[in-house]
Amino acid sequence: MKTDHLTSTFLALRERLHRSALAFLKDDEDAKDALQDTFLRLWKSGGVENDSEASSKLFVVLRNVCIDRLRRKRSVELEDKHTISLKIEPSSGENIEQLESLLTAGLSRMQRRIYSLSVHYSMDYKDIALRLGMSEGAVRAQMCRARKKISENYKILNR
C-alpha cells in the first residue's frame, strides 16, 4: 500500500519533529500533542506535492503550533494571576497597584521604565530620551510596544 507524501515524510521525521517541539515546550506530553496538531493541520489543508515540501511545511507548522501553545499557556497564567489578585478587598489602594502590575506584566525592563516615566512622572518623550540616553524615536517605539502589551493584557483580564 502506497502512502502519501505527508504521511511518509511525517513518519520519517517524527523523532526530529518531536525533539524540536520538546525544545520549545519543555514537556513531553505537550510536544506529542503539538505533533498531532501539526499533522492534522497539514492533513486538513489539502496535502503536499512532494517530500521536500512536506518536510519544510511540517517544521514551519510545528513551530507555529508550539508558539500558539506557549501563548495560550502564558495567557492562562495571567488569568490565574488576575483571579488571585482580585480577592483583596475593594477600595484598598493596593488594588490599583495590583491592577497596574497585571496590566504591565510582560513588559521589558526598558518598556516598564519608559511607561513609568511617562505615566507617573508626566515626562514627555523628549525628556525621557534625554534621561535614558536614547533617541526620541526609540522611546516612542518602546512606548508603542508597551501600550500594545498593556492592551493585550487588558483584553485578557476582561474576558
Side-chain angles (χ1 to χ4, degrees), residues 137-150:
V139 170
R140 286 184 190 282
Q142 290 293 327
M143 191 61 177
C144 180
R145 291 183 192 117
R147 283 192 190 113
K148 182 179 178 185
K149 182 64 182 169
I150 289 168

Side-chain angles (χ1 to χ4, degrees), residues 103-105 107 115 145-155:
L103 290 173
T104 58
L107 295 183
Y115 171 81
R145 291 183 192 117
R147 283 192 190 113
K148 182 179 178 185
K149 182 64 182 169
I150 289 168
S151 176
E152 290 170 5
N153 290 345
Y154 180 80
K155 289 174 184 173

Side-chain angles (χ1 to χ4, degrees), residues 14-154:
R14 186 178 207 149
E15 289 303 313
R16 284 182 56 202
L17 290 164
H18 182 260
R19 284 192 306 269
S20 181
L22 198 54
F24 270 105
L25 302 171
K26 312 288 189 239
D27 182 66
D28 190 53
E29 291 302 314
D30 282 345
K32 289 176 182 175
D33 289 344
L35 280 178
Q36 272 187 328
D37 290 348
T38 299
F39 184 79
L40 287 175
R41 280 188 190 182
L42 281 172
W43 185 265
K44 288 179 183 177
S45 73
V48 292
E49 297 292 321
N50 56 46
D51 291 343
S52 175
E53 181 185 0
S55 175
S56 61
K57 282 188 175 183
L58 280 166
F59 280 101
V60 169
V61 172
L62 178 66
R63 186 197 71 209
N64 292 339
V65 166
C66 290
I67 290 170
D68 289 346
R69 286 177 169 276
L70 290 170
R71 284 181 179 156
R72 268 186 264 137
K73 189 175 185 180
R74 195 164 122 206
S75 156
V76 168
E77 288 171 0
L78 185 60
E79 287 176 8
D80 291 344
K81 189 175 179 182
H82 170 68
T83 304
I84 292 167
S85 69
L86 291 182
K87 291 181 181 175
I88 295 176
E89 293 296 317
S91 78
S92 79
E94 292 178 24
N95 275 349
I96 293 172
E97 292 172 9
Q98 286 183 338
L99 182 58
E100 183 177 17
S101 175
L102 288 171
L103 290 173
T104 58
L107 295 183
S108 72
R109 190 173 181 181
M110 183 59 70
Q111 290 169 345
R112 193 178 301 275
R113 194 165 178 201
I114 291 170
Y115 171 81
S116 178
L117 290 172
S118 177
V119 172
H120 298 289
Y121 297 100
S122 302
M123 291 178 71
D124 62 15
Y125 294 151
K126 184 177 180 182
D127 293 334
I128 294 171
L130 288 172
R131 182 171 183 160
L132 300 179
M134 301 171 67
S135 71
E136 191 174 339
V139 170
R140 286 184 190 282
Q142 290 293 327
M143 191 61 177
C144 180
R145 291 183 192 117
R147 283 192 190 113
K148 182 179 178 185
K149 182 64 182 169
I150 289 168
S151 176
E152 290 170 5
N153 290 345
Y154 180 80

